[in-house]
């Protein structure tokens, strides 16, 4: 059974169970003891677990009647587990989610609508960038609270470029200028100049917005087959000009694993990533890296929520769960503990304070890019709809067909467009 099938089955079951769960509760239920235990589930490594537990301990010190039962795991398999949990009696009161799945869970009424809590300031987003908190709205309901800000970043190998006396890429280069730069830099360094991002949905998404389109309008595609063909042709031209690695290397780099990124493996001078991945990418190479915005008008980029915290609609402790999320998002002491682990703090006051304490050069570079772009960000797009994960998979399949030459850009574009339409309609 595929992840998508498991997710759908779990969510449908959860939706069927919710009326029963809700019928048994009205507001928070702390029982006769007055104690409340909240379940909390997230993905991440040991470092995130340690920081999150410390922040929750701080909350407990201020709210001794609240305790936590926490569960965490690596990203792989997380959403399978979450789907299973939401289908049964062990659904977590609070869970971490990202924009790949937020709309899926929200439209199936798994997430609690937090709008009334925002309106009453029980969830305070007054210090958030407007576009950031709105990127948690699905069908006019606030489905998740952004726990960090992120945006697209083009990471490049500064060491190799400077050794070969090559110009570094800059924010604001056009796409054609970037490809020409990659061709020249690749010749000088004997390393292909840029990873081919034609299979990367976030790169295509920025390019579409720069061309007056978008990836989605609500639950509909906001581009045409011709747009996709132009996107694939742009990168066929780059491959033909040897500005990119060969198709087999591109295939390796299309993996989302940090260690597979071409700027880490040394098989290209750039990788197309999220800016907050800079520290982890830097840890995997001895060369010094830099980061700039994607090519073209940077206003096509937006303040993207790196991840959210949501409340399970069937929770018996909704108010308490909301209070914890508000605490984690806005309390200065909690922000100091959590740092930039989930992205730059959403609360701008906390962001300023946390940023001043950062010493990691890679994270400093990531913050500098965000600071540079924050005044240029365009409005946030709508959160990707149900089917987005399939759209991403289908884009990679079609792009790789074009990369390996088993399909023309036109054929690959038709393949992807038809599959994407079916994915969002399903």
């Amino acid at each position: 059974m595929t992840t998508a099938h498991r997710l759908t089955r779990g969510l449908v079951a959860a939706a069927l169970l919710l009326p029963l769960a809700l019928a048994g509760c009205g507001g928070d239920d702390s029982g006769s003891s007055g104690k409340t235990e909240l379940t909390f589930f997230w993905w991440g490594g040991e470092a995130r677990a340690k920081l999150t537990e410390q922040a929750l301990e701080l909350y407990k010190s201020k709210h001794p009647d609240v305790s936590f039962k926490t569960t965490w795991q690596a990203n792989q398999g997380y959403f399978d587990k979450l789907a299973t949990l939401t289908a049964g009696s062990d659904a977590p009161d609070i869970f971490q989610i990202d924009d790949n799945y937020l709309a899926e869970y929200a439209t199936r009424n798994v997430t609690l609508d937090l709008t009334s809590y925002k309106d009453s300031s029980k969830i305070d987003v007054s210090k958030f960038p407007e576009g950031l908190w709105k990127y948690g709205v699905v069908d006019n309901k606030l489905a998740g609270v952004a726990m960090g800000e992120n945006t697209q970043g083009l990471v490049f190998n500064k060491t190799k470029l400077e050794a070969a006396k090559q110009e570094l890429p800059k924010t604001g280069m056009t796409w054609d200028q970037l490809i020409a730069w990659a061709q020249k830099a690749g010749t000088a360094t004997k390393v292909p100049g840029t990873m081919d991002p034609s299979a990367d949905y976030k790169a295509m998404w920025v390019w579409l917005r720069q061309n007056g389109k978008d990836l989605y309008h609500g639950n509909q595609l906001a581009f045409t087959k011709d747009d996709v063909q132009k996107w694939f042709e742009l990168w066929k031209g780059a491959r033909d000009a040897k500005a990119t690695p060969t198709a087999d290397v591109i295939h390796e780099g299309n993996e989302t694993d940090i260690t597979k990124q071409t700027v880490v493996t040394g098989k290209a001078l750039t990788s197309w990533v999220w800016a907050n991945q800079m520290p982890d990418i830097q840890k995997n190479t001895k060369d010094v890296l830099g980061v700039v915005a994607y090519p073209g008008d940077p206003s096509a980029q937006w303040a993207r929520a790196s991840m959210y915290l949501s409340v399970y609609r069937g929770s018996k402790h909704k108010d308490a769960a909301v209070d914890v999320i508000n605490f984690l998002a806005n309390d200065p002491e909690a922000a100091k503990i959590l740092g930039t682990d989930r992205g730059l703090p959403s609360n701008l006051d906390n962001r300023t304070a946390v940023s001043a304490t950062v010493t990691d050069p890679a994270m400093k570079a990531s913050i500098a890019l965000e600071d540079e772009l924050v005044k240029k960000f365009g409005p946030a797009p709508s959160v990707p709809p149900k089917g987005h994960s399939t759209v991403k998979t289908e884009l990679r399949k079609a792009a790789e067909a074009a990369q390996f030459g088993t399909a023309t850009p036109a054929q690959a574009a038709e393949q992807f467009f038809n599959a994407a339409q079916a994915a969002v309609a399903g």
Side-chain angles (χ1 to χ4, degrees):
M1 185 180 291
T2 66
T3 298
H5 288 156
R6 282 193 292 271
L7 172 62
T8 301
R9 190 182 68 172
L11 291 175
V12 169
L16 292 172
L17 287 170
L18 270 173
L20 296 176
L22 292 171
C25 63
D28 278 23
D29 178 7
S30 300
S32 58
S33 67
K35 304 287 186 181
T36 298
E37 182 183 73
L38 294 171
T39 50
F40 195 153
F41 185 39
W42 70 87
W43 79 81
E46 290 187 9
R48 175 171 300 165
K50 183 178 179 181
L51 296 174
T52 305
E53 295 283 5
Q54 286 178 357
L56 294 179
E57 283 296 323
L58 177 63
Y59 184 88
K60 283 166 59 179
S61 72
K62 298 173 184 286
H63 304 82
D65 291 337
V66 177
S67 61
F68 297 94
K69 182 179 180 181
T70 59
T71 311
W72 60 275
Q73 66 172 69
N75 181 277
Q76 187 171 8
Y78 173 84
F79 285 100
D80 286 345
K81 179 76 174 292
L82 183 58
T84 301
L85 291 172
T86 55
S89 58
D90 289 332
D93 298 297
I94 303 170
F95 56 92
Q96 186 172 293
I97 195 166
D98 65 15
D99 60 0
N100 290 311
Y101 290 97
L102 186 66
E104 183 106 15
Y105 278 75
T107 55
R108 293 188 186 278
N109 290 320
V110 175
T111 55
L112 178 67
D113 179 9
L114 302 172
T115 305
S116 63
Y117 292 99
K118 177 191 70 70
D119 292 344
S120 63
S121 296
K122 291 181 178 176
I123 290 179
D124 183 6
V125 296
S126 62
K127 300 290 179 63
F128 286 29
E130 185 178 12
L132 183 60
W133 74 258
K134 285 186 174 179
Y135 196 56
V137 175
V138 178
D139 293 339
N140 297 315
K141 298 176 182 177
L142 184 60
V145 177
M147 294 304 295
E149 183 183 298
N150 196 9
T151 193
Q152 295 85 353
L154 181 70
V155 174
F156 60 90
N157 190 316
K158 190 174 180 182
T159 296
K160 282 186 170 58
L161 289 164
E162 289 183 340
K165 302 187 184 307
Q166 292 298 295
E167 184 181 5
L168 304 181
K170 299 174 183 174
T171 293
M173 296 173 77
T174 67
W175 291 82
D176 287 340
Q177 286 172 338
L178 175 84
I179 291 169
W181 165 85
Q183 188 178 23
K184 180 174 179 288
T187 300
T189 61
K190 302 188 185 309
V191 177
T194 182
M195 170 63 180
D196 173 348
S198 54
D200 187 328
Y201 82 98
K202 59 185 180 297
M204 188 176 83
W205 198 349
V206 169
W207 179 84
L208 285 169
R209 284 165 64 89
Q210 290 167 344
N211 286 277
K213 303 292 181 70
D214 219 318
L215 196 57
Y216 305 108
H217 282 157
N219 60 356
Q220 301 291 320
L221 302 181
F223 56 88
T224 67
K225 182 173 59 180
D226 289 344
D227 295 324
V228 184
Q229 182 176 336
K230 290 176 183 174
W231 171 246
F232 286 161
E233 286 175 342
L234 174 70
W235 288 101
K236 182 180 185 303
R239 292 190 298 276
D240 290 346
K242 302 191 183 306
T244 76
T246 54
D248 56 335
V249 173
I250 295 169
H251 172 72
E252 293 175 17
N254 283 336
E255 297 293 337
T256 56
D257 186 335
I258 290 290
T259 62
K260 303 293 186 184
Q261 298 303 305
T262 50
V263 79
V264 169
T265 60
K267 295 180 179 178
L269 296 171
T270 74
S271 285
W272 305 68
V273 298
W274 295 110
N276 73 337
Q277 293 178 298
M278 260 290 282
D280 286 338
I281 294 173
Q282 183 64 77
K283 289 175 186 173
N284 284 278
T285 176
K286 293 180 180 178
D287 289 348
V288 176
L289 306 178
V291 60
V292 294
Y294 282 7
D297 184 352
S299 69
Q301 296 190 201
W302 65 96
R304 179 223 185 206
S306 50
M307 56 193 74
Y308 310 87
L309 289 179
S310 293
V311 177
Y312 179 50
R313 184 168 169 252
S315 169
K316 293 182 180 180
H317 310 296
K318 298 181 185 65
D319 291 351
V322 164
D323 193 59
V324 171
I325 290 177
N326 185 60
F327 176 82
L328 295 177
N330 289 303
D331 183 86
E333 292 180 81
K336 185 177 179 181
I337 292 171
L338 294 170
T340 57
D341 178 72
R342 288 182 168 87
L344 296 183
S346 301
N347 179 310
L348 291 175
D349 287 350
N350 289 341
R351 184 183 303 181
T352 299
V354 169
S355 297
T357 66
V358 169
T359 57
D360 179 3
M363 180 52 75
K364 280 188 171 182
S366 175
I367 292 172
L369 176 63
E370 292 272 357
D371 287 346
E372 176 188 352
L373 295 181
V374 70
K375 295 178 182 177
K376 302 175 182 175
F377 280 144
S382 57
V383 178
K386 180 182 67 173
H388 176 58
S389 294
T390 302
V391 170
K392 292 197 305 181
T393 301
E394 293 296 334
L395 176 62
R396 177 173 171 177
K397 287 166 58 178
E400 290 195 342
Q403 290 160 2
F404 279 101
T406 60
T408 66
Q411 291 167 334
E414 183 170 11
Q415 172 190 325
F416 168 64
F417 186 77
N418 292 340
Q421 274 195 318
V424 298

